[in-house]
Amino acid sequence: MFAKTYHAVHPDMMMGASNADLHDRHAVTGLFRAGELVLTYSHGERFIIGGAMPGEAALDLPVQREPASAAGHPLLERRELGVVNIGPAAGTVTVDGGAYPLAKYEALYVPMGSRDVRFEGAGARFYLLSVPAHAAYPIVHMTLAGNPPMRRGSQETSNARSIHQLVLPHACQSASLCLGLTRLDPGSVWNTMPPHVHERRSEIYLYFDLEDDARVFHYMGQPDELRHILLGDGDAVISPPWSVHMGAGTSSYSFVWAMAGENQDYEDMDVLDICQLA
């Protein structure tokens, strides 16, 4: 079922890791393949990270395959799911017979217990994030118009951006998943500044709206031992709770951020002074 499994990593393992090692352990690539639904699995918060690119044929969320006691059961039997369309065209997500059209940048919260989830729409690229859940909350269709952004940063510091909080308690109830979308203004390249660490949560960034020849330098590691991974359009990166997560692009871009862990407090972060970085 899973194209790749990502294991938990101790910060000491960063010291001897090559660039190829870092990419292999933290970068999630190849999620968007024409006509395919691709799922990966992370031990961090038990995230399922996936992509669905329907093309001309619909794609269905698969059922569980293991353990034997769960084989054939719905994937969301004990999970919730966030879906964001990052593609150039609109698509439709159908959940247990109910159809939800998603334009670009729109999202859908799919509750625990949903049985049949289908993705349709040539030109749509559905980004999928699922975590274990303890309760079923209402399905919610989210648009950027319905989620006025927080404005952060400035052109002077090259990080002027709009932050749309999509799945957070004030906007959409969930058991654990926190999800949002950030769009950088033209001319801005830094996605967060000052940087921060989430000791009580893992976070995943997915970068998109990048041209084929554009890249994001994503920085990670402990504040005094920073490393970087080079990422392109449609690539995601897993940040452990002990790791800084910030990036700078060769052009402006958008990214989806997702968190899960001990709480859903958006402000629960340890902000670092730039002078603490090395």
Side-chain angles (χ1 to χ4, degrees):
M1 176 183 293
F2 300 114
K4 185 172 181 177
T5 296
Y6 294 83
H7 299 279
V9 177
H10 190 280
D12 287 352
M13 296 178 70
M14 298 281 286
M15 299 297 293
S18 67
N19 284 354
D21 291 334
L22 290 177
H23 196 275
D24 181 64
R25 295 170 186 172
H26 299 277
V28 186
T29 61
L31 290 177
F32 301 102
R33 305 173 189 170
E36 294 185 41
L37 188 151
V38 179
L39 299 177
T40 64
Y41 187 87
S42 171
H43 283 208
E45 317 304 342
R46 302 291 168 176
F47 260 107
I48 292 176
I49 308 160
M53 199 169 171
E56 298 301 325
L59 298 170
D60 293 319
L61 200 65
V63 297
Q64 298 182 66
R65 297 181 186 172
E66 53 186 2
S69 59
H73 293 210
L75 186 62
L76 302 184
E77 183 177 40
R78 298 181 63 187
R79 285 180 164 274
E80 57 190 0
L81 171 70
V83 181
V84 185
N85 183 7
I86 66 167
T92 299
V93 182
T94 302
V95 181
D96 293 337
Y100 299 87
L102 296 187
K104 184 175 182 179
Y105 304 126
E106 294 187 353
L108 187 71
Y109 171 77
V110 182
M112 179 186 76
S114 301
R115 300 185 63 85
D116 299 311
V117 183
R118 173 168 290 190
F119 305 94
E120 298 175 275
R125 289 200 299 172
F126 297 107
Y127 178 44
L128 316 178
L129 292 148
S130 174
V131 291
H134 64 274
Y137 292 99
I139 192 166
V140 179
H141 176 201
M142 292 152 283
T143 67
L144 297 196
N147 290 269
M150 301 188 303
R151 290 290 298 170
R152 293 292 185 271
S154 68
Q155 288 290 350
E156 289 75 17
T157 52
S158 303
N159 67 341
R161 61 200 189 276
S162 297
I163 304 172
H164 296 269
Q165 298 177 324
L166 301 176
V167 181
L168 281 168
H170 70 277
C172 171
Q173 285 185 296
S174 68
S176 177
L177 182 66
C178 299
L179 176 69
L181 186 148
T182 298
R183 301 172 66 189
L184 275 67
D185 291 1
S188 286
V189 295
W190 285 99
N191 57 41
T192 183
M193 188 60 66
H196 57 273
V197 173
H198 296 295
E199 281 286 351
R200 288 154 291 277
R201 294 181 293 197
S202 299
E203 185 158 18
I204 299 166
Y205 282 2
L206 177 124
Y207 294 105
F208 69 107
D209 283 346
L210 286 158
E211 298 295 333
D212 290 343
D213 60 351
R215 295 292 185 270
V216 172
F217 291 79
H218 180 88
Y219 292 89
M220 62 177 303
Q222 294 185 300
D224 58 349
E225 293 284 352
L226 285 188
R227 302 288 297 276
H228 79 271
I229 297 176
L230 203 60
L231 300 170
D233 185 75
D235 290 343
V237 59
I238 301 168
S239 295
W242 47 262
S243 177
V244 166
H245 38 280
M246 63 178 182
T250 57
S251 65
S252 58
Y253 52 89
S254 303
F255 67 101
V256 176
W257 45 268
M259 296 178 285
E262 192 171 304
N263 61 60
Q264 296 175 300
D265 179 3
Y266 179 79
E267 300 297 337
D268 181 12
M269 62 184 76
D270 301 316
V271 178
L272 304 167
D273 187 283
I274 192 69
C275 298
Q276 294 176 264
L277 304 180

